[in-house]
Amino acid sequence: MSRDWTSFLRSSMPLADAMAVTAQTLPDGRIALAVPLGPNVNDKGTGFGGSVATLATLAGWVEVQRQLDQFAPASGVEIVIQRGETHYLKPIRNDFEACAILPDATELERFLRLYARKGLARLALTVEVHCQGEHVAQFGGDYVASRNAA
Amino acid sequence: MSRDWTSFLRSSMPLADAMAVTAQTLPDGRIALAVPLGPNVNDKGTGFGGSVATLATLAGWVEVQRQLDQFAPASGVEIVIQRGETHYLKPIRNDFEACAILPDATELERFLRLYARKGLARLALTVEVHCQGEHVAQFGGDYVASRNAA
C-alpha cells in the first residue's frame, strides 16, 4: 500500500499543516519529512525545538505505519507514540528534514510477528534530523501498534 | 521582571501561535501553558504527540527564563534545549496544559551560581502535562542558558 503522506499528515493533523510538512519517498522506500524554516523558527530565528521533536515524532510514526502497510496490510491498525527523546545537536539555520533509520531486521521481524499474533506490539526507532546535509538532531521513539477492534 | 508570555511566545514562534498557546501565572509564580485540543489533534482526534512534546518543551523553557528573570535579570540570556524526553501516559481527549515542576533548590542555586560566574549553565527540569486534572504526559528537559555576547 502506498499513501500520499503529505496530504494525509496535513489533512489529519493541523500542526503538520502549520509546519508545512512535505513527504518524499527515498530510493529504499523510506519516507523523509521536510519542513521550511519559516513556520518553524524560535525566538532566535533558528529551528524551534518543538518543531524538531514534532517532525521526528511524525517521521518515526510514518516508518512504523509503512512497515505495517508492507507486511500486514489487511488489518486496521492504530499507532501511538509511547516515549520520544530528542537530542539537539546543532542550531538549525535553514529548512530541515527528518527520516527514520531502517529498523534492525531482527527487531522488525519480532515486531511484525508479535503484531500478527497478538495485535499489539512495540517498535523502537531512531530518527535523524538533517539540515543542509548536517546532522542537527537525533530522536529515539517507542511506538505501539494495536489492531483496531472496529 | 514580568513578561506577557502569551504574546511573547505567539509572536516569536509561529508554532506556538498555530497551537493557540496561552500562558497563565500560578499562585506560586510558575507559568502554566495551555492549548485547546482543536489545533492539536492527531489523526485519531486525540492530543497529538508532537503538540504535547512542544508544549512541554516551551513550559520548561519558560521556567528557565523565569528563574533567570528573577535572579539574574540584568544580563541578556539565550536559552536553548539540549535534550527533551516525553513519556506519553494516557490519550488526551480535551484541552491540555503543561507546567514545569519547581526545580530542586540546591540544583537551582548551583545553576544560578554557575550562570552568574561563567555565563553558561545547564538546568534539568521536569514538566507535567495535564488534561482535565489527569496527568497525561511527563517530560524531562535539559536546558542550557548562555549569556549573550551582545
Side-chain angles (χ1 to χ4, degrees):
Chain A
M1 181 154 85
S2 180
R3 293 170 187 251
D4 179 347
W5 287 109
T6 301
S7 66
F8 173 71
L9 295 174
R10 292 177 71 163
S11 65
S12 60
M13 304 191 204
L15 207 63
D17 195 46
M19 291 170 62
V21 172
T22 53
Q24 194 195 345
T25 305
L26 303 188
D28 64 7
R30 286 181 299 156
I31 311 296
L33 300 182
V35 291
L37 183 60
N40 295 293
V41 289
N42 57 26
D43 59 310
K44 295 168 281 289
T46 55
F48 174 39
S51 289
V52 173
T54 298
L55 194 67
T57 299
L58 283 174
W61 187 86
V62 162
E63 177 63 14
V64 181
Q65 184 69 66
R66 186 180 76 91
Q67 294 291 352
L68 286 167
D69 282 349
Q70 264 186 294
F71 297 106
S75 56
V77 60
E78 185 172 287
I79 299 162
V80 297
I81 185 163
Q82 194 170 56
R83 189 194 65 90
E85 181 173 17
T86 310
H87 290 261
Y88 299 90
L89 307 174
K90 290 181 182 176
I92 296 177
R93 306 194 192 282
N94 214 310
D95 306 346
F96 54 100
E97 60 185 49
C99 189
I101 303 293
L102 278 177
D104 168 81
T106 312
E107 269 309 290
L108 180 61
E109 201 270 327
R110 186 203 52 78
F111 166 74
L112 293 168
R113 188 164 24 96
L114 209 58
Y115 178 75
R117 207 173 62 212
K118 304 229 179 199
L120 184 70
R122 178 166 49 200
L123 185 63
L125 282 176
T126 299
V127 174
E128 289 185 352
V129 181
H130 285 88
C131 173
Q132 298 191 299
E134 257 199 323
H135 184 192
V136 291
Q138 178 95 357
F139 173 87
D142 298 339
Y143 295 84
V144 174
S146 57
R147 197 174 286 130
N148 283 331
Chain B
M1 181 155 87
S2 180
R3 295 170 186 252
D4 178 348
W5 286 109
T6 301
S7 65
F8 173 71
L9 295 172
R10 291 177 71 163
S11 65
S12 61
M13 304 190 204
L15 208 62
D17 194 47
M19 290 169 63
V21 172
T22 52
Q24 193 195 347
T25 305
L26 303 188
D28 65 5
R30 286 180 300 155
I31 311 296
L33 300 181
V35 291
L37 182 60
N40 296 292
V41 288
N42 58 25
D43 59 308
K44 294 168 280 289
T46 56
F48 173 39
S51 289
V52 173
T54 297
L55 195 67
T57 299
L58 284 173
W61 187 87
V62 162
E63 176 64 12
V64 181
Q65 185 69 65
R66 186 181 76 90
Q67 293 291 350
L68 286 166
D69 283 348
Q70 264 185 295
F71 296 108
S75 57
V77 59
E78 186 172 288
I79 299 161
V80 297
I81 186 164
Q82 196 171 54
R83 189 194 66 87
E85 182 173 16
T86 310
H87 289 262
Y88 300 90
L89 308 174
K90 289 182 182 176
I92 295 177
R93 305 194 193 281
N94 214 309
D95 305 346
F96 54 100
E97 60 186 48
C99 189
I101 303 293
L102 278 176
D104 169 79
T106 312
E107 269 307 292
L108 179 60
E109 201 271 328
R110 186 203 53 78
F111 167 73
L112 293 168
R113 186 161 30 92
L114 209 59
Y115 178 74
R117 205 172 66 214
K118 305 231 180 197
L120 185 69
R122 178 167 47 200
L123 186 63
L125 281 176
T126 299
V127 173
E128 288 185 355
V129 182
H130 285 88
C131 173
Q132 299 191 299
E134 257 199 324
H135 184 194
V136 290
Q138 177 94 358
F139 173 86
D142 299 339
Y143 295 85
V144 175
S146 57
R147 198 175 283 130
N148 282 332

